[in-house]
Amino acid sequence: MKSLKAILVHFLLTLFVIAVPAQASVILQYHHVSEDTPASTSITPQQFAKHMQYLADNDFKVLALNNVIDAIKQQKPLPDKSVVITFDDAYLDILENAKPILDKHQFPFTIFINPGIVDKGSDHYLTWPQLKAMADDGVIIANHGFEHESWARVPNDMNINTWLAQKIALLKKAEKKIKAETGQSWQYFAYPYGEFSPRIQQLLEQQQFIAFSQQSGAVGLHTDLTSVPRFPASQPYDKLSSLKDKINALPISMSISDKDAQTIYTQGSLTHLTMTVNSKDFRQHQLNCYVTTLGKQPIEWLDDKSFTVTFTKPLPTGRVRSNCTAPSIEKPGRYYWYSKPWFILNKDGSWYPH
């Protein structure tokens, strides 16, 4: 029989776990809010309104992006059930269709823009005066690169160091332009197409930029600020049933070797992934990992913290992700969620189309 002291200690620890706020937030990524734009980057205004209404009806705290990033930098607790709303590309329908819905709920949001594209002018893109008015209204205007060009695709005829210097110069040019036109300079950068490499991550960290990716996952105090995950919420991921799981997701601290941290592979060259998990709030047998087009993959636990995912087939060419999830013991109904992205080239080393 347990002693009274042991029972008391267990009780106090339980109270502590319950009292400590979850170190978690979720960032949603949208593009178009329209019925007349490509489905793969769009959500209808009606469905977007349902997303926002669900957040409002279920007591989610919609935070400005800088609130979450500052908390991570300062290692301060993130409010439980907190969500950030972001858009990639300066589409006019964000202003026409999304902003009225967001304003109705007084939800803050961020737009990642390409100044070079805005400069060209288009009936489908926001103008600088429109962006300035939105910035003055509290919208965060952030960097998506000067043009919408990949930060992973090094041209075959160019020295990589020359190419990297050009990319940084364009990044700074974009940031300077955003500052001049909107008065804002957050040094937040969203990878175009979500494509990046460890070398790019290191370079952005040296330039003191926070970088946002497109792989799924919740955000926590251990989140790598050179690849902050965001949940895509446009079609085909716009159903409320899947949104509910995402916005209730919990972050899990995973570590991988430098070798496994690579993101760019030729088809057939990557066969497995080994990760170390820093959490005991789930049961090993309940961890599942799913890979794009391959489905659920076999997991072998190497010890009480490390496991290997072995792929049953070669990873397909293109943007590929492994999503690993496990139900929380302490927070029933909520799942830990970690995503690892890869960019799989053709067998001859050429890039897949955008």
Side-chain angles (χ1 to χ4, degrees):
M1 177 180 288
K2 291 183 179 179
S3 68
L4 180 60
K5 180 179 179 181
I7 293 172
L8 180 61
V9 168
H10 177 75
F11 174 72
L12 291 174
L13 286 173
T14 301
L15 283 181
F16 177 77
V17 167
I18 294 172
V20 173
Q23 314 294 297
S25 188
V26 165
I27 304 176
L28 299 178
Q29 178 211 24
Y30 298 93
H31 288 85
H32 285 288
V33 181
S34 172
E35 296 178 334
D36 305 315
T37 47
S40 62
T41 56
S42 301
I43 183 172
T44 67
Q46 295 80 9
Q47 190 67 3
F48 183 73
K50 289 180 180 179
H51 283 199
M52 299 305 105
Q53 191 64 51
Y54 184 84
L55 295 177
D57 290 344
N58 290 275
D59 300 320
F60 284 89
K61 304 171 185 69
V62 178
L63 305 178
L65 183 58
N66 62 300
N67 294 150
V68 171
I69 297 304
D70 289 347
I72 296 172
K73 285 181 175 180
Q74 298 165 21
Q75 292 294 284
K76 292 184 177 179
L78 290 163
D80 195 21
K81 295 182 67 176
S82 59
V83 175
V84 175
I85 298 163
T86 69
F87 298 88
D88 283 6
D89 310 319
Y91 294 122
L92 181 61
D93 54 61
I94 298 170
L95 174 61
E96 293 180 335
N97 298 332
K99 191 172 187 297
I101 297 168
L102 292 159
D103 287 349
K104 171 187 172 183
H105 298 289
Q106 297 184 313
F107 288 169
F109 63 99
T110 295
I111 308 176
F112 290 99
I113 71 167
N114 307 102
I117 296 177
V118 176
D119 280 344
K120 293 174 183 176
S122 167
D123 292 341
H124 303 295
Y125 280 83
L126 293 160
T127 64
W128 284 118
Q130 288 170 327
L131 287 164
K132 177 64 166 69
M134 294 173 80
D136 290 345
D137 198 30
V139 178
I140 290 177
I141 309 298
N143 200 328
H144 200 27
F146 194 77
E147 301 277 355
H148 200 282
E149 296 178 345
S150 172
W151 273 60
R153 305 182 183 218
V154 184
N156 293 329
D157 59 350
M158 185 175 288
N159 175 274
I160 186 170
N161 291 324
T162 301
W163 180 78
L164 289 172
Q166 289 182 1
K167 300 301 284 187
I168 291 299
L170 285 170
L171 179 73
K172 292 180 177 179
K173 181 180 178 180
E175 194 71 18
K176 184 177 180 180
K177 181 68 172 177
I178 292 169
K179 172 75 173 189
E181 297 286 354
T182 71
Q184 297 186 8
S185 179
W186 297 94
Q187 298 209 166
Y188 296 165
F189 173 62
Y191 295 111
Y193 307 105
E195 295 173 353
F196 64 93
S197 68
R199 186 166 183 178
I200 292 297
Q201 291 176 265
Q202 183 181 39
L203 194 60
L204 287 169
E205 184 175 28
Q206 291 169 356
Q207 297 297 323
Q208 298 183 321
F209 270 80
I210 308 300
F212 300 83
S213 51
Q214 293 184 20
Q215 79 266 20
S216 304
V219 174
L221 298 186
H222 54 263
T223 292
D224 183 348
L225 292 178
T226 64
S227 60
V228 181
R230 296 183 292 164
F231 278 107
S234 301
Q235 298 181 57
Y237 310 109
D238 63 332
K239 303 296 184 291
L240 271 178
S241 56
S242 62
L243 180 74
K244 294 173 185 178
D245 287 336
K246 293 171 184 175
I247 57 180
N248 279 292
L250 298 168
I252 188 166
S253 177
M254 293 274 196
S255 56
I256 52 181
S257 67
D258 289 343
K259 175 179 176 295
D260 282 337
Q262 297 302 314
T263 56
I264 303 171
Y265 293 87
T266 55
Q267 190 180 44
S269 64
L270 180 63
T271 59
H272 64 276
L273 173 70
T274 298
M275 294 183 277
T276 300
V277 59
N278 302 308
S279 174
K280 294 184 177 179
D281 185 37
F282 68 90
R283 297 176 178 87
Q284 286 188 354
H285 71 276
Q286 291 184 308
L287 178 73
N288 292 303
C289 292
Y290 300 83
V291 174
T292 305
T293 76
L294 303 188
K296 184 178 176 181
Q297 299 295 284
I299 293 175
E300 178 186 0
W301 283 93
L302 307 177
D303 52 42
D304 62 343
K305 289 186 176 182
S306 300
F307 64 93
T308 296
V309 181
T310 301
F311 309 132
T312 54
K313 294 180 181 178
L315 299 183
T317 299
R319 290 186 282 273
V320 179
R321 298 179 183 90
S322 172
N323 290 328
C324 295
T325 63
S328 167
I329 297 172
E330 294 177 357
K331 298 181 180 296
R334 301 180 68 178
Y335 284 77
Y336 288 100
W337 194 310
Y338 175 85
S339 183
K340 176 73 173 73
W342 297 290
F343 314 109
I344 307 300
L345 312 185
N346 297 311
K347 289 185 177 180
D348 63 2
S350 62
W351 279 90
Y352 49 86
H354 282 309

